[in-house]
Amino acid sequence: MSTEMSPFHLLKQSSTSLARTGVLHFEAAARTPLATPAFIISTSRGAVPHLTPDNVVRTLRDKPGFYLAAEDFFERKPEASPILSFPESENGIRDFFALPTEPPLVAALRGANPEPLTRPNSNGTVAVTTCEGSRDINIDTYYRFLAKVCPDIILAVPDLPQTGVSAGGNRVRKMLFRTERWLEFLFKHLDSNASNANAHLFVPILPADLRSQALYIDFLKTHKARISGLTLWTDRGNAAQKAHPALPESWDNTLKFIEEAEFSHLPRYNLPGYSYSPFEMLDQIASVGIDIFDGKLATELTEAGVAIDFTFPAPRDAQDAQLGFNLREDKYKVDMTSFGVHTPNFCGSHNWAFVHHLLDAHEMTAMVLLEMHNLNALANFFAGVRAAIADGTFEEEKARFEQVYQGQDLVELKTRGLENVPEARSFTRTK
């Protein structure tokens, strides 16, 4: 797809890094364009965790979009899952889930932060995690799911090493062969299914060296007109979360891949298999030019009882600025601090002591208030990033953010918060 025809329009490119702002437009008139850098909210079987549809509408002022994973809907026999019998309609499954019409829907086979699997893929099947355990599904089952959901963005299926270990030569060849083969199947599906005809297709860049991907690059160039975006995967794509992973070496190959394939104008959606800290998100915006992130960090912190407090730009007058607060700690029993600037319209009248009490009593209202707060805090963070890139102060504010919040660790904060949490509270499990 040429730059002129691309639905993604670059607005501002930093002169000293790869940070950039842009807008991704959609074919459906009701959809709100996605301003980037941005995040997409992960759902669980089509529902935003802990929020009812009315709270979703009143919470999401920026309407960033929703991520639907097909594996969430599959059961013991994935090919017979009820969602595949859902009648096709103009809005797909959106009306059934009572999701607002403005935000875009992103559909993928696996979750944005999937459980690591040991089952291998084959040329025609992919291993997934269902509510009945791990299963092998035919790749065509995913395409049937797409026809029912009618997403605005379709993520093509990559063949990734299931253990999170860097792939050897033979494994890389299989990865590239299967990913290309599955893309050919997807092209045929899009050609024959009108409900997905206007969806933006994001294709994967695999964690492999540039030389081994030469034929794959040629294949993508041949189908450039069909491609609207890129999904970026590291060699930890399905691995367990790391505390502080550095920018992986495979990013060098990724950037060379993008240049070689002439895809620099396309949006870049990063799906690492674990949740990023704000430091890592800022690093990847600056060093890799990432445009879209997974937003599961907000929900993971909510379930740990942690309230996000970081802002971008970082506060200039705060001597004790914190990334977040573990409201399960006893010191918040009598802390009357309000939720603050992130959620003044619907959480401002509540305070830390009240939420601590709700968490201590295992009240679901605690999760509702924290999820509303954390999603808005993350939305405000990205809005600040976009504004800083637009006015040319991103690199300066990024350095100041790292200085203000230096030495703080969200992973440790989340781990401490999860110590007294029941192991499984819902369909999805927090790591």
Side-chain angles (χ1 to χ4, degrees):
M1 181 178 296
S2 67
T3 304
E4 291 76 11
M5 295 177 61
S6 174
F8 181 67
H9 301 290
L10 283 175
L11 300 179
K12 179 68 178 289
Q13 173 74 59
S14 171
S15 59
T16 57
S17 73
L18 295 181
R20 59 188 190 173
T21 60
V23 178
L24 179 60
H25 296 273
F26 302 97
E27 292 290 335
R31 303 294 179 267
T32 300
L34 181 65
T36 64
F39 73 101
I40 300 295
I41 299 171
S42 290
T43 65
S44 176
R45 286 196 165 188
V48 177
H50 312 296
L51 297 184
T52 54
D54 59 320
N55 278 329
V56 170
V57 171
R58 64 194 289 253
T59 298
L60 302 176
R61 294 191 294 266
D62 285 352
K63 301 178 176 61
F66 304 104
Y67 184 104
L68 274 69
E71 68 177 2
D72 284 358
F73 299 89
F74 295 155
E75 300 174 358
R76 180 169 298 178
K77 295 182 178 180
E79 65 280 358
S81 296
I83 193 172
L84 300 180
S85 301
F86 193 85
E88 295 185 15
S89 64
E90 182 178 354
N91 289 327
I93 210 76
R94 185 188 294 263
D95 292 340
F96 180 76
F97 292 130
L99 292 172
T101 58
E102 297 90 349
L105 287 185
V106 179
L109 176 60
R110 300 216 62 201
N113 191 354
E115 293 286 340
L117 294 173
T118 56
R119 300 171 73 99
N121 298 328
S122 69
N123 291 346
T125 63
V126 186
V128 298
T129 300
T130 74
C131 59
E132 298 279 350
S134 58
R135 294 287 186 274
D136 294 325
I137 70 160
N138 190 293
I139 194 68
D140 184 62
T141 304
Y142 174 51
Y143 304 148
R144 292 172 58 198
F145 170 82
L146 295 177
K148 303 298 182 181
V149 172
C150 299
D152 300 290
I153 297 175
I154 293 173
L155 304 190
V157 181
D159 181 33
L160 296 175
Q162 298 298 327
T163 59
V165 178
S166 297
N170 288 336
R171 184 66 181 92
V172 167
R173 285 189 286 275
K174 288 183 180 179
M175 287 165 51
L176 296 168
F177 170 77
R178 289 171 182 166
T179 301
E180 183 176 323
R181 178 185 176 92
W182 296 341
L183 268 173
E184 290 176 337
F185 292 160
L186 181 54
F187 291 151
K188 292 178 181 178
H189 165 79
L190 295 177
D191 289 339
S192 61
N193 196 292
S195 62
N196 294 144
N198 293 326
H200 295 331
L201 175 62
F202 280 45
V203 300
I205 297 179
L206 301 174
D209 65 88
L210 186 64
R211 183 172 57 183
S212 64
Q213 299 194 71
L215 293 178
Y216 180 56
I217 291 175
D218 290 340
F219 171 79
L220 294 182
K221 283 184 174 181
T222 303
H223 298 280
K224 185 176 293 188
R226 294 175 173 267
I227 299 171
S228 299
L230 308 171
T231 53
L232 278 56
W233 305 85
T234 71
D235 54 13
R236 288 189 293 266
N238 282 343
Q241 177 170 324
K242 306 293 183 181
H244 284 294
L247 283 175
E249 294 180 3
S250 57
W251 286 135
D252 290 336
N253 287 318
T254 296
L255 293 174
K256 293 175 183 177
F257 183 109
I258 293 173
E259 181 179 359
E260 178 71 19
E262 301 174 357
F263 286 155
S264 298
H265 62 287
L266 296 180
R268 304 167 191 179
Y269 192 161
N270 191 21
L271 292 161
Y274 59 90
S275 295
Y276 281 132
S277 73
F279 303 111
E280 292 165 320
M281 289 189 285
L282 292 175
D283 282 342
Q284 295 202 6
I285 290 170
S287 302
V288 193
I290 299 299
D291 301 295
I292 307 174
F293 291 88
D294 166 54
K296 198 167 185 178
L297 173 67
T299 299
E300 291 183 346
L301 293 175
T302 291
E303 296 182 351
V306 175
I308 291 176
D309 200 52
F310 57 83
T311 62
F312 192 92
R316 296 185 179 278
D317 55 352
Q319 300 300 319
D320 56 349
Q322 300 292 313
L323 289 176
F325 302 101
N326 178 9
L327 298 183
R328 296 183 187 276
E329 295 180 357
D330 288 342
K331 66 181 180 180
Y332 294 106
K333 279 185 177 180
V334 293
D335 190 332
M336 305 305 291
T337 304
S338 68
F339 268 84
V341 298
H342 294 305
T343 45
N345 295 331
F346 39 84
C347 295
S349 60
H350 299 300
N351 53 55
W352 295 149
F354 176 60
V355 178
H356 171 85
H357 161 72
L358 295 175
L359 289 168
D360 193 51
H362 302 289
E363 288 281 356
M364 290 188 294
T365 307
M367 297 296 154
V368 174
L369 292 174
L370 280 174
E371 185 77 349
M372 294 167 76
H373 170 84
N374 286 342
L375 284 175
N376 271 281
L378 201 55
N380 291 340
F381 171 82
F382 278 101
V385 169
R386 292 193 296 270
I389 296 173
D391 62 24
T393 62
F394 174 74
E395 285 73 20
E396 174 188 343
E397 294 296 348
K398 175 178 177 292
R400 194 168 65 81
F401 183 94
E402 293 169 349
Q403 181 180 16
V404 169
Y405 295 108
Q406 64 179 339
Q408 299 186 45
D409 188 346
L410 268 183
V411 173
E412 180 183 351
L413 194 64
K414 183 178 72 173
T415 301
R416 292 205 311 268
L418 288 172
E419 288 176 353
N420 298 318
V421 178
E423 181 143 311
R425 180 170 30 246
S426 61
F427 174 75
T428 55
R429 177 175 174 178
T430 301
K431 297 179 185 177

